[in-house]
Amino acid sequence: AAGPAMLRELQRIAPRGCPTGGVVVTPGFDLPHQWVIHAVGPIWRGGGEGEAEALASCHRNAISEADARNCKSLAMCCLSVGSFGYPVQEAAAIAALATREALADAKALRTVIFACFNQRELAAYQAALKLDLD
């Protein structure tokens, strides 16, 4: 939907891809958004290979990049829970905590929206965000 210019820009700024836990920022091109922050979440390998820190890093880095561009809000998908196999409850808990911590340091960014693909993700993220508020 962003058009072929986004792919060309990604190939230009990150010709070898982006490391797990990292982010790359492009303009939104044909999308109705100024920026797109491309985050690379970890593939679930059982939890003993640094997956939690890499997932938290994605959230912190995305928030930092959005804040650096004076964004007021950021929408994020549920990173790594789909084809990367991360258990959704664990991913939601990590996302909630890392997001809350990163937002505390943000100057411009005030709102992060988690875009959930299905009811299972929605329930897990709602529970994690509620627990994080308590």
Side-chain angles (χ1 to χ4, degrees):
M6 180 178 283
L7 180 57
R8 285 193 300 273
E9 181 66 2
L10 280 169
Q11 291 169 336
R12 186 187 71 77
I13 62 176
R16 296 182 185 189
C18 182
T20 301
V23 299
V24 174
V25 183
T26 64
F29 295 100
D30 293 342
L31 296 172
H33 310 288
Q34 187 172 6
W35 305 105
V36 174
I37 300 171
H38 309 265
V40 181
I43 295 171
W44 179 253
R45 300 187 192 288
E49 296 189 32
E51 295 99 315
E53 178 52 37
L55 186 57
S57 178
C58 282
H59 289 86
R60 289 191 302 265
N61 289 333
I63 289 167
S64 177
E65 291 292 342
D67 193 55
R69 286 160 175 77
N70 293 312
C71 297
K72 305 290 184 248
S73 64
L74 172 66
M76 299 180 75
C77 64
C78 302
L79 297 170
S80 289
V81 302
S83 61
F84 283 16
Y86 214 110
V88 68
Q89 289 82 8
E90 291 179 37
I94 292 164
L97 181 59
T99 297
R100 183 157 315 278
E101 290 173 352
L103 277 174
D105 295 329
K107 306 283 187 275
L109 188 66
R110 292 289 165 246
T111 303
V112 175
I113 299 164
F114 291 101
C116 298
F117 181 72
N118 56 42
Q119 285 300 119
R120 187 169 153 249
E121 289 178 3
L122 178 61
Y125 276 72
Q126 285 176 327
L129 291 166
K130 181 185 180 320
L131 289 174
D132 194 48
L133 292 173
D134 294 340

